[in-house]
Amino acid sequence: MADLRGPDIQPAFIGIPTFAHAPFALTQEELRSLKPDVAIIGAPVDMGVVNRPGARFGPRAIRQAGYAGSPNDRFYHMGLDVYPMRELKVVDFGDANCPPSSLEQSHEAIRVKVMQALHTGALPIVLGGDHSITLPSATAVAQHHGYGKVGMVHFDAHADTGLSGYGGVLISHANPMRRLLESGAIPGKNFVQIGLRGYWPERELFEWMQNQGMRWHLMSEIETRGFEVVLEQAISEALDGPEVVYLSVDIDVLDPAFAPGTGTPEPGGLTSSQLLGAIRRIVASVELVGADIVEVSPPYDGPGAITAEVANRVGLEIISALAKKAKDASSP
Amino acid sequence: MADLRGPDIQPAFIGIPTFAHAPFALTQEELRSLKPDVAIIGAPVDMGVVNRPGARFGPRAIRQAGYAGSPNDRFYHMGLDVYPMRELKVVDFGDANCPPSSLEQSHEAIRVKVMQALHTGALPIVLGGDHSITLPSATAVAQHHGYGKVGMVHFDAHADTGLSGYGGVLISHANPMRRLLESGAIPGKNFVQIGLRGYWPERELFEWMQNQGMRWHLMSEIETRGFEVVLEQAISEALDGPEVVYLSVDIDVLDPAFAPGTGTPEPGGLTSSQLLGAIRRIVASVELVGADIVEVSPPYDGPGAITAEVANRVGLEIISALAKKAKDASSP
Amino acid sequence: MADLRGPDIQPAFIGIPTFAHAPFALTQEELRSLKPDVAIIGAPVDMGVVNRPGARFGPRAIRQAGYAGSPNDRFYHMGLDVYPMRELKVVDFGDANCPPSSLEQSHEAIRVKVMQALHTGALPIVLGGDHSITLPSATAVAQHHGYGKVGMVHFDAHADTGLSGYGGVLISHANPMRRLLESGAIPGKNFVQIGLRGYWPERELFEWMQNQGMRWHLMSEIETRGFEVVLEQAISEALDGPEVVYLSVDIDVLDPAFAPGTGTPEPGGLTSSQLLGAIRRIVASVELVGADIVEVSPPYDGPGAITAEVANRVGLEIISALAKKAKDASSP
Amino acid sequence: MADLRGPDIQPAFIGIPTFAHAPFALTQEELRSLKPDVAIIGAPVDMGVVNRPGARFGPRAIRQAGYAGSPNDRFYHMGLDVYPMRELKVVDFGDANCPPSSLEQSHEAIRVKVMQALHTGALPIVLGGDHSITLPSATAVAQHHGYGKVGMVHFDAHADTGLSGYGGVLISHANPMRRLLESGAIPGKNFVQIGLRGYWPERELFEWMQNQGMRWHLMSEIETRGFEVVLEQAISEALDGPEVVYLSVDIDVLDPAFAPGTGTPEPGGLTSSQLLGAIRRIVASVELVGADIVEVSPPYDGPGAITAEVANRVGLEIISALAKKAKDASSP
Amino acid sequence: MADLRGPDIQPAFIGIPTFAHAPFALTQEELRSLKPDVAIIGAPVDMGVVNRPGARFGPRAIRQAGYAGSPNDRFYHMGLDVYPMRELKVVDFGDANCPPSSLEQSHEAIRVKVMQALHTGALPIVLGGDHSITLPSATAVAQHHGYGKVGMVHFDAHADTGLSGYGGVLISHANPMRRLLESGAIPGKNFVQIGLRGYWPERELFEWMQNQGMRWHLMSEIETRGFEVVLEQAISEALDGPEVVYLSVDIDVLDPAFAPGTGTPEPGGLTSSQLLGAIRRIVASVELVGADIVEVSPPYDGPGAITAEVANRVGLEIISALAKKAKDASSP
Amino acid sequence: MADLRGPDIQPAFIGIPTFAHAPFALTQEELRSLKPDVAIIGAPVDMGVVNRPGARFGPRAIRQAGYAGSPNDRFYHMGLDVYPMRELKVVDFGDANCPPSSLEQSHEAIRVKVMQALHTGALPIVLGGDHSITLPSATAVAQHHGYGKVGMVHFDAHADTGLSGYGGVLISHANPMRRLLESGAIPGKNFVQIGLRGYWPERELFEWMQNQGMRWHLMSEIETRGFEVVLEQAISEALDGPEVVYLSVDIDVLDPAFAPGTGTPEPGGLTSSQLLGAIRRIVASVELVGADIVEVSPPYDGPGAITAEVANRVGLEIISALAKKAKDASSP
């Protein structure tokens, strides 16, 4: 019982750093043969950032976070009373091959990689990278599950619905949600955004969003009405229309105290506890078909690496909540 | 709409780093010609600190925080539904020339610079620098608006009312409030302090403060009674007597999690969200005539620079709340 | 009044860095001659950590935190209205001599040092070091006050009740509570744990803990029921059985935002304000006979050193709460 | 004499951070009216990096380095016995407007900005930014001084002559020298490279370089033959053909000990002293018409910011050596 | 030619971080099947350090250093004119499983892992970890090649020949060379040490070393006689007796400017250029049968990670020099 | 032999952090009773810096550097073959009490403390603090040994002979040498400066220095003539006139690669090896009566703390060279 003796038991800092010490698959065939429930995919891209770069190192940092060792079948979510890795087969499918000077090629590589995972039956969880990677990732999910049928629950300080970035560039981390809407992958009314604050976007963009049927919840609303109330409404909105849901977590939805290692920090955000709790409730309430965790920039994270740690736990919390559902479903 | 094309549109990291990409004025004449509503003034001083120095680099760091680019007429405060820079003309008036080994000359340079701004009709927002700079800054405001007529709303972990600093020095970051009271610039009963905690000052100093009529609110009071209740009382106290109000925000009123880059951190403070909300309410309730944001020490801030970020937002929040009032006032 | 003039008054960064500028004792005789109420002991050990080391430098960092100078008789806890160092004689008894490659010798040195302090009548507060040091420290307290008679109130993200660490090692920072239970020093039902969360330990360990009569409170319980309610229950549990109480504070009970400088950070923890308030209430309610503050790892703390700061305040808060009791007891 | 009294004398950390406290020009007209000898131009670009980004913040960091205050007419190069800013009019012409997601637009903005400077008669010194910016910068110089007539003296750990970057991208920081050669801006035999080492490029690329007539000097040659000998040869090669010379200094030509803050560090490089001395000699020997200093990445520079400091001095050394020539030329 | 197009070509920050993008083997069978010439083995241990820990993270950091991407058959050592990975099959054999609280088990795991590599015919290069790991690593090599037959060329600031560490502990990073000598694995006269300096060990230990026939070269000798002369002598000493040589490189042989990220830095050491050159010459002159690179402590390395970079290049330089020999041997 | 067993043997990170684990004296009486040969004095002052502050934390950082434990009678300088602490009684006399806002009081406290040490017969070694502290320290030495009789050997990037600092302030870290000259404590011809470089002071100041008879050696001279030759000349100059010598080492004489943690770094400086060797030779050649080591600024030093390390070794090197002389003198 809880005896860490034996040649196969390793502390966290030893061995190949996959996400949560999951087994890895180098090819789609390997992935398929492992019969995955969840596939972790790295999207090491930061060409889309308008301020502080570094998110290309996000996937490695998120994988190396955490302190529990392998094998991971002992990971136990005490709040949910579930062993996530016993309920679900989680496999680390490695990184999409993102050439650092071509956002287009990078996005196509991500889209293909996510699609490969989906074809094996796995639910993809993509580790960014900047938020532009939600465009190829959610596009793949929509291609798989049906254009217009996927909802987007989106935690972020920013709406990411800009018409264009600097220079009129259409693809950056300020635009993915607009591109997804425009392409028809995700209709406007399927968007629910939580945690917006600060000084961007501007009013006319909110008006455009409203015209598209998008829904959003500012931090000021959360402060006034309470997080519980707003979260409940957000969940009911997420269930209003979409058949399945994609969850996109920009780590800057957290207050910079909890996530300093990011490109465009905005004071006044959620706490880690709020975010993790919200993820638990959302995953319990909707049918999740894909997720991403983006905008972790290790060069700005400080020696404690707390942003990578909380991003790691966001991934684990998604998996744990999925596992809880699986466990409950399989119980008589 | 939200298209960042064009030669005049620049990302945040390009160009001269003024506060929030405001236009700058090198001289009082230039400032006056811009018809400023608000003037930003740097007070790069840290000779007054008793522990960790570095606040001399505060003004530069606060100016370089933020991720939105220029021009700043697109900055939109979504919580207040206002474009602050469209409502108000904000100009960066540069730094007071503070010789690093003479606190006296530095203070006089600050006082003169603030007075110059006041004479153009601008409301000064001073970026520290250590808290000693409130002495010259608020003195200038009192000289302009009338000795005894200005109130002081003061966010801080410390009361800053010491008789003297180490060695009997009268001017340090532990004494500005006392000097302002002694000079008559701000009478005791015009002081309202919020966020005090920790182990300084001592009881006899609180007794002296009480004898002067000063009012204050400990963090322990906030924890017991709730921030809303205390804030409401503080606002009514701020309106009890003074005709106009000066707002001094020592960034260490925040818990060190939210503001690690400061000289004398004290655990157990406010969150960023609480502080920004309080500023909005105070500015909405009183007639503000000057403000400062002090004790940001970049060498202690870590790579994420989150202290500079939140200090930047404190400045923007003041301006936004002023803009909201201006907008509401100009609406029919 | 509050005049820091004079040759004996020094700022915080000057002189020998004892805890809170307390006088120091190099030997037990010196300690005894000072008639101590509280003895501070450093336990610079980190061989027990399973992930990020560095806690061996914890005692020095905690001692060097804080910004108030010496002498410390002016330290005034404004929330409790008490001068802690006037009510209690606090002495820094230096470090146990811990050879860096022998956890066994280190533990024995700590046990002996704590015992020496206890024999002078002082209440020991031990500065870790990793959490393994609670084994020798609490053992000494139990030896002094009676096996089975001491309760353990334990703030932590982790239960630290593992059967063994990696390689089957029995002594690590994952096991001290189990060893204390097994040795009979502290019976199972005398344990109250607060703040547990994350993915370790596993369910069977919780079942074992339950069988031993241990009590614990997950963060998820705190989020659901409220901290006040849980804390009240924890205090009543701490009073249920034990005659006296040992308080062990693993700094990772705090959210990583508040304590990044630690070896095994776990997002979703307490705030500094919650922890300090809880300590005040617990010390007020029970009869404290020993304490430790562990798992501060300076290399991971960032330039602001906020983890060392809050650990320093945990120590001061314990002393202040003790002083408050002493003051109240001596008042007519 | 050396009395820093007076309102116009400011320490380094005060005021607008131009390069070496030079006056600035916001437009070409302002620049022209200042009759500049040298124009400093920022090229804040890092989309071209294949590993660690961050060079977009290079121009700001290089400008903020240095500790001497303004006005800069007191800067005195003691080794050359010259007041550089008295001999030459140096103006900071600000940054090219580089949209962070479009390398093409960024390059065009840089090319135009450099051309504007050249048209005023100024010698441009461009502060990168990654090494891709040498393509537009040197192209502008070649457009101004004549295709094929400009030589390139190039300090670097890497040859930067790759056919393409990852994904077949033609424009990255691994290719500028090849693109310049291909376009005819700078013929192969006009290239002299100094400091190459490590594991890239490969042999076939060196063979291609040789076929183009390019000349280069490995660090291993410098170690064997001595820096003095190699430098002398490099200078004679630089004079062999080209009428005028462009100097490109990739800061990673320095050993990482001297320049840790860069994207692709390669151990075994030059010392700062060697580089500064070489620049003095080269500028004295050739007719310089343009220069750049690239690959300073502040997020990787550490708190001491020594990479920004040495890059700043590279710029000052170029200017000082030019000033020395001007002074000598004007002496009877 | 040098075109990085194609799905199999990846930048350095993508994919599983093996040493120099080498293929990896998880088991001895996999390793054997790859017919390795060189096997990279991680030894993530730091229980042996007497001062600053963190070397347990050394293997990961060394593997993640470097900026060239995969596949690694394009790595070209321009100074030696060799493609190392084309001449030699280098395989990353992963980490020995080192329980963080048991130096004994860790050492045995390392010894067995190195032996496994040797049995496949591979030359092991071990990435530390602290210097205690040379004990199991070189012991395995001596077991394989014959006790008494292996020589030790040892770069270090310290002799590492202490009788015992603190507390009388026999196994720490201060003792491996003595233990190897005592066990007979490596006789005294087979030791050649280069780079010793500072204040440890003491004279009597040098006398003991002399009595054992050990040879060493202080930095002061290098400064007086010149590095070339001393190196030549060291090589002839290394050839005097042993049939084969094990090379142990403690990164603290470098001056702290070149290797700040280490546990016991000692100013006044070698430059990176000197060390890399010496390695080239030694490997060319002796028959190498094993090597280690130790004492890289990432938490002390700063954001530029220059210590990990140079340690990575030490490994590559060993491989390149071996490859050069292989290439020369196979040339007609 | 080299067995670190026993209760009195401690690793470096344990116990009160005195310089090199020397015994400490809190009062002059305690110091006198220890019959000191050398007294270490901290001068924690940084009000005199014109750029980056932080040197007030220099004494603590220098004391905590080094990795060898206590007792220090085993420290052995292998290059000089001497046990410094066996030859000389070194005592840590603590810090002068420097109020952080009064440079005048701080200087007087330093002067008195150094004088107290001198009166016990000890040679003072003062740990700064910024370079302004040389004024009180060397003044005390001149008062003790005779005005005009003391020579000054001064390692620095800057001459520190400015007429005044910013604002006309006479006492800053840019002026101590001038003030010493003006007061008559040290005549102009008794100054020898080594390592000057960069852009300050200006030519007229060098002319003034020449008129005073001062001697100096630029880095450019060292690069041209060789360090050995220049050092020999400097020593002969130091012996030309003065009877006894004060040695002032500004750590910025080192290249920033070797000393990043300083306030006014200047690229192109000495290596650590050069500086330590020069100190050995100077101390061997002159009669040393006092020394200081200044301008270590820990906030700018990075996690490796290499600047504090080399400053620590400068102190140890001075003591070792003194010990070598004492040993040689006492040998028959």
Side-chain angles (χ1 to χ4, degrees), chain C residues 6-17 21 24 26 44-45 56-57 60 64 95-100, chain F residues 6-17 21 24 26 44-45 56-57 60 64 95-100:
Chain C
D8 296 335
I9 295 184
Q10 294 183 334
F13 55 86
I14 287 183
I16 292 177
H21 306 290
F24 61 89
L26 296 177
V45 164
R56 65 178 67 181
F57 296 106
R60 279 209 180 151
Q64 293 179 30
D95 295 322
N97 186 5
C98 297
Chain F
D8 296 334
I9 296 184
Q10 294 183 335
F13 55 86
I14 287 183
I16 292 177
H21 306 289
F24 61 88
L26 297 177
V45 164
R56 66 178 67 181
F57 296 107
R60 278 210 180 150
Q64 293 180 31
D95 295 321
N97 186 6
C98 298

Side-chain angles (χ1 to χ4, degrees), chain A residues 41 109-119 124 126 136-137 140-141:
Chain A
I41 295 169
I110 294 165
R111 194 192 60 77
V112 168
K113 189 104 179 172
V114 173
M115 192 60 87
Q116 288 182 331
L118 287 162
H119 285 170
V126 181
S137 175
V141 169

Side-chain angles (χ1 to χ4, degrees), chain D residues 267-314:
Chain D
L270 294 178
T271 67
S272 292
S273 176
Q274 287 177 317
L275 177 60
L276 295 174
I279 287 169
R280 275 198 303 277
R281 288 193 47 191
I282 289 166
V283 173
S285 305
V286 306
E287 186 182 344
L288 194 74
V289 291
D292 60 48
I293 306 157
V294 298
E295 297 287 347
V296 174
S297 178
Y300 292 96
D301 204 9
I306 64 172
T307 313
E309 290 288 336
V310 73
N312 173 283
R313 294 316 183 285
V314 167

Side-chain angles (χ1 to χ4, degrees), chain B residues 7 9 12 15 60 64 95 97, chain D residues 7 9 12 14-15 60 64 95 97:
Chain B
I9 295 184
R60 279 210 180 150
Q64 294 179 29
D95 295 321
N97 186 5
Chain D
I9 295 184
I14 287 183
R60 279 211 179 147
Q64 293 181 28
D95 295 321
N97 186 6

Side-chain angles (χ1 to χ4, degrees), chain B residues 267-285:
Chain B
L270 294 179
T271 67
S272 292
S273 176
Q274 287 177 318
L275 177 59
L276 295 174
I279 287 169
R280 275 197 303 276
R281 289 193 47 190
I282 288 166
V283 174
S285 306

